Amino acid sequence: KMTAQVYKDFLPNTLLNQLLGHILTQPHYYGHTSIFEKDKLKPRWYICELDDDLFLSRCILGFIIDKIKSKLSLGKIYANIQYAGQDGSFHTDNTTPHSRTAILMLSKTLPKGSGTFQIHTEGYENKIETHDFEQNKLLFFKSNILHKGNPPLESGFPRVTLAVKMDLYTEKTGLMDRINNITNRGYS
């Protein structure tokens, strides 16, 4: 059993290309890293924050819910833009057992072994699952499992991924909490 659930051809191609174009024309900020303290000597990469883009956030969350068939609320959404040499390190996104992460590979498919995604295999201390970078592939996994996105090995166009941080919710989760999570607004 795979630690990361894999969904190929996740978005319709037209939407995928529009999403990639949208991200590449938004402001990018240099200096993103997996773990700030641990990675302070490593080259950083670019991030494109998308939390304020409510329409986009809700659309992507809707596509994920439809595919995963789970009740999910949105915590954070952003794009990572990595060029060759911009290496991160193994990290977790959240320590709570009900948190989930989705990574959508947006840029063109890279040669085998380039720009891979690695995740520790659940239940094994030293086993790592490696996923090649394939455009329009979504990986869905528990946020408390160590993982890392590797940069492309080739110079040129960056490796672009959409990172979506979510929480599973149950019937006991209040409606206002779910709405707040979807809209990233603090009304309660």
Side-chain angles (χ1 to χ4, degrees):
K1 185 176 179 242
M2 302 273 277
T3 297
Q5 296 172 39
V6 178
Y7 300 91
K8 294 188 177 186
D9 300 317
F10 179 70
L11 291 177
N13 278 333
T14 302
L15 179 57
L16 176 86
N17 290 323
Q18 289 293 324
L19 178 58
L20 178 59
H22 177 71
I23 287 167
L24 292 176
T25 58
Q26 297 302 302
H28 299 135
Y29 300 97
Y30 179 78
H32 195 62
T33 180
S34 299
I35 306 170
F36 187 76
E37 274 305 306
K38 187 175 177 184
D39 294 338
K40 60 183 166 194
L41 300 177
K42 287 187 172 186
R44 313 249 167 125
W45 60 89
Y46 295 87
I47 186 171
C48 176
E49 299 280 0
L50 297 165
D51 287 331
D52 290 338
D53 196 332
L54 296 183
F55 176 75
L56 173 68
S57 300
R58 289 174 177 158
C59 280
I60 297 300
L61 180 64
F63 271 97
I64 292 170
I65 289 170
D66 287 349
K67 186 64 79 173
I68 307 297
K69 306 288 188 235
S70 290
K71 295 175 179 174
L72 298 162
S73 58
L74 184 65
K76 188 157 187 55
I77 184 169
Y78 59 91
N80 284 309
I81 299 106
Q82 283 174 284
Y83 290 87
Q86 295 178 331
D87 201 12
S89 54
F90 279 101
H91 65 281
T92 59
D93 293 331
N94 201 318
T95 56
T96 59
H98 63 276
S99 294
R100 298 293 182 270
T101 299
I103 299 293
L104 177 59
M105 300 173 178
L106 292 174
S107 48
K108 294 283 181 227
T109 297
L110 292 169
K112 191 165 182 58
S114 177
T116 59
F117 177 84
Q118 294 180 298
I119 185 166
H120 280 251
T121 306
E122 195 169 24
Y124 296 88
E125 197 172 326
N126 294 312
K127 194 172 177 192
I128 294 174
E129 198 177 282
T130 301
H131 297 271
D132 283 321
F133 190 94
E134 298 170 59
Q135 187 177 43
N136 206 10
K137 178 165 71 176
L138 182 97
L139 301 173
F140 182 78
F141 54 93
K142 293 178 182 174
S143 304
N144 62 0
I145 299 174
L146 287 167
H147 61 278
K148 100 183 244 198
N150 293 304
L153 299 174
E154 310 76 22
S155 59
F157 200 82
R159 171 193 190 270
V160 181
T161 56
L162 186 68
V164 187
K165 314 295 174 73
M166 299 158 288
D167 285 318
L168 288 170
Y169 66 84
T170 66
E171 295 305 323
K172 294 177 190 156
T173 307
L175 177 61
M176 287 313 294
D177 288 333
R178 296 195 309 245
I179 291 170
N180 287 343
N181 278 340
I182 290 170
T183 60
N184 286 309
R185 300 293 186 262
Y187 308 115
S188 55

